[in-house]
């Protein structure tokens, strides 16, 4: 019975507003047993029922399953190169509150302390309903929750300080979490192999195989920005030469335009990509071509159904789709050109890492609820 209850909560989490009849079919139990389960989960303040959207079909009206108004919540947090944000997320992914602020050059421990203060306030505001935290970060996270973010100059930052003793505490790389979210709630739902690429201050991503993110032996897979698809004359902050990320991120635009390396690489890149003068348009086209070429290499190697682009990838796809497409097709093996895997803007856009952090934390919490 407990397993069925968890399955029912999973169904409602994946499809908030699902009708009781559809939920019964999806978990494979009869309507009577489902009614009893829904009653039990309602008493436990985990599920509630609301009116379903009219289906147009004849028959008895059914009800929609929705999160309970006093149900458990997750604090989903993301740190970017420029700001942090925390969302309070209910079953089904709905956001009930958002707080955040810019980093203003603060160090990692100070930022984690600020997040900790905000999360403690949210826990009070939501009367103890927040049961766990998920954090997306622009770096790598060790098993004991220590963060290394070389682009920010942060090393050995203790993420656990954001909520010592939390029942649920998950943390992960932003691009990896965005890939997971895109496969759960974005345009990659149902793909057999999805490749997600996220351009921020650097370029990262992940391969999602049958809904499972490929994390690697050390948990550091997906550093696609450090494949040598770039100019060997350029040294990357990682220590290698010719990294692809140095050819597609904001640093590449600054180099092409003869600007100093920007302190706010994402906002800077957005401004350049949106600009319409000839120099900015040329720099954007060069970067878009470098992106398309690298995507072709990854598609040749990984054979995905589709490629999703997040972060600045969305901006580049909107500003220079033809340059990306031309370089992508030119780099594809001949047999793929008749039907190349589509390169799509990530549906979750900039919210991908945060949505992924919420998803990871909710997945962990769901097994604790019944
Ligand atoms: Zn590198």
């Amino acid at each position: 019975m407990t397993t069925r209850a968890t399955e029912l909560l999973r169904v409602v989490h994946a499809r908030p507003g699902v009708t009781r009849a559809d939920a019964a079919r999806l978990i494979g139990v009869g309507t009577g047993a489902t009614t009893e389960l829904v009653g039990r989960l309602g008493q436990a303040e985990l599920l509630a029922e609301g009116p379903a959207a009219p289906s147009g079909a004849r028959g008895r009206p059914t009800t929609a399953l929705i999160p309970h108004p006093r149900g458990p919540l997750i604090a989903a947090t993301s740190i970017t190169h420029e700001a942090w944000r925390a969302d309070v997320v209910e079953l089904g992914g709905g956001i009930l509150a958002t707080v955040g602020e810019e980093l203003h050059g603060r160090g990692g421990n100070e930022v984690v302390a600020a997040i900790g203060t905000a999360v403690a306030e949210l826990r009070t505001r939501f009367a103890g309903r927040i049961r766990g935290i998920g954090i997306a970060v622009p770096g790598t996270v060790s098993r004991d929750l220590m963060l290394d973010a070389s682009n920010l100059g942060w090393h050995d930052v203790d993420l656990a300080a954001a909520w010592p003793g939390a029942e649920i505490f998950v943390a992960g790389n932003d691009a990896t979490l965005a890939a997971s979210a895109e496969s759960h709630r974005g345009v990659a739902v149902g793909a057999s192999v999805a490749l997600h690429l996220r351009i921020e201050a650097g370029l990262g991503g992940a391969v999602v195989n049958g809904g499972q993110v490929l994390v690697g032996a050390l948990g550091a897979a997906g550093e696609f920005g450090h494949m040598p698809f770039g100019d060997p004359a350029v040294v990357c902050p990682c220590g290698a030469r010719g990294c692809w990320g140095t050819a597609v991120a904001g640093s590449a635009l600054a180099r092409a335009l003869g600007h100093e390396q920007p302190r706010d690489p994402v906002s800077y890149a957005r401004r350049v990509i949106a600009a319409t003068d000839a120099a900015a348009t040329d720099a954007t086209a060069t970067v878009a071509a470098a992106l398309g070429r690298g995507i072709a290499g990854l598609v040749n190697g990984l054979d995905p159904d589709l490629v999703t682009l997040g972060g600045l990838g969305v901006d580049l796809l909107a500003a220079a789709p033809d340059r990306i497409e031309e370089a992508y097709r030119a780099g594809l093996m001949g047999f793929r050109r008749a039907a190349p895997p589509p390169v799509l803007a990530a549906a979750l856009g900039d919210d991908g890492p945060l949505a992924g952090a919420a998803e990871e934390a909710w997945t962990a919490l769901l097994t604790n609820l019944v």
Side-chain angles (χ1 to χ4, degrees):
M1 209 53 181
T2 302
T3 313
R4 293 270 196 241
T6 304
E7 279 175 33
L8 181 58
L9 289 173
R10 277 202 190 106
V11 164
V12 177
H13 182 60
R15 309 172 181 212
V18 64
T19 65
R20 194 163 63 189
D22 285 343
R25 266 194 297 281
L26 286 164
I27 63 169
V29 300
T31 49
T34 304
T35 302
E36 196 207 317
L37 262 182
V38 169
R40 225 155 47 78
L41 292 173
Q43 278 170 4
E45 299 192 335
L46 295 172
L47 272 192
E49 293 183 87
S55 68
R58 286 172 179 276
R60 286 210 325 232
T62 182
T63 58
L65 302 179
I66 55 175
H68 195 282
R70 291 186 297 278
L73 304 167
I74 284 293
T77 307
S78 74
I79 302 172
T80 70
H81 286 82
E82 297 172 17
W84 67 265
R85 176 176 140 195
D87 284 2
V88 176
V89 181
E90 65 180 357
L91 183 79
I95 297 169
L96 303 188
T98 296
V99 295
E101 61 184 345
E102 294 191 0
L103 300 190
H104 294 303
R106 283 178 293 178
N109 290 316
E110 281 178 279
V111 170
V112 170
I115 291 172
T117 304
V119 169
E121 283 168 10
L122 289 169
R123 286 164 60 201
T124 304
R125 183 167 143 199
F126 286 90
R129 290 170 59 200
I130 299 178
R131 298 275 296 269
I133 182 169
I135 305 187
V137 293
T140 55
V141 183
S142 70
R143 288 191 199 285
D144 55 352
L145 297 174
M146 300 301 281
L147 162 66
D148 246 57
S150 54
N151 277 328
L152 276 165
W154 296 2
H155 301 286
D156 293 328
V157 174
D158 183 13
L159 291 174
W163 184 350
E167 176 188 346
I168 304 287
F169 200 122
V170 295
N173 174 265
D174 50 7
T176 308
L177 288 169
S180 169
E182 204 58 34
S183 286
H184 278 103
R185 295 193 189 273
V187 294
V189 170
S192 62
V193 178
L195 169 64
H196 180 71
L197 297 172
R198 182 172 181 81
I199 308 169
E200 285 247 314
L203 191 163
V207 177
V208 185
N209 186 13
Q212 295 291 314
V213 177
L214 183 69
V215 292
L218 298 174
E223 295 287 356
F224 299 119
H226 302 284
M227 297 191 302
F229 293 169
D231 178 354
V234 177
V235 178
C236 177
C238 81
R241 283 182 170 275
C243 286
W244 185 32
T246 64
V248 297
S251 61
L253 293 168
R255 211 177 310 110
L257 290 167
H259 293 166
E260 279 188 29
Q261 286 303 311
R263 279 181 58 87
D264 54 349
V266 178
S267 304
Y268 169 85
R270 287 232 149 93
R271 287 195 296 275
V272 172
I273 294 168
T276 51
D277 61 282
T281 308
D282 279 358
T284 301
T286 303
V287 161
L291 177 62
R293 206 159 44 241
I295 293 171
L298 286 171
V299 167
N300 289 339
L302 295 168
D303 193 18
D305 296 319
L306 82 171
V307 181
T308 54
L309 299 181
L312 293 170
V314 177
D315 303 69
L316 286 169
L317 208 47
D322 297 346
R323 298 308 293 264
I324 295 175
E325 182 73 15
E326 192 186 355
Y328 172 46
R329 285 186 172 258
L332 282 179
M333 297 164 74
F335 83 93
R336 296 190 188 279
R337 288 197 197 130
V343 178
L344 306 171
L348 296 164
D350 283 348
D351 292 340
L354 209 116
E359 218 44 50
E360 289 274 312
W362 260 110
T363 300
L365 180 59
L366 279 173
T367 58
N368 280 13
L369 290 177
V370 289

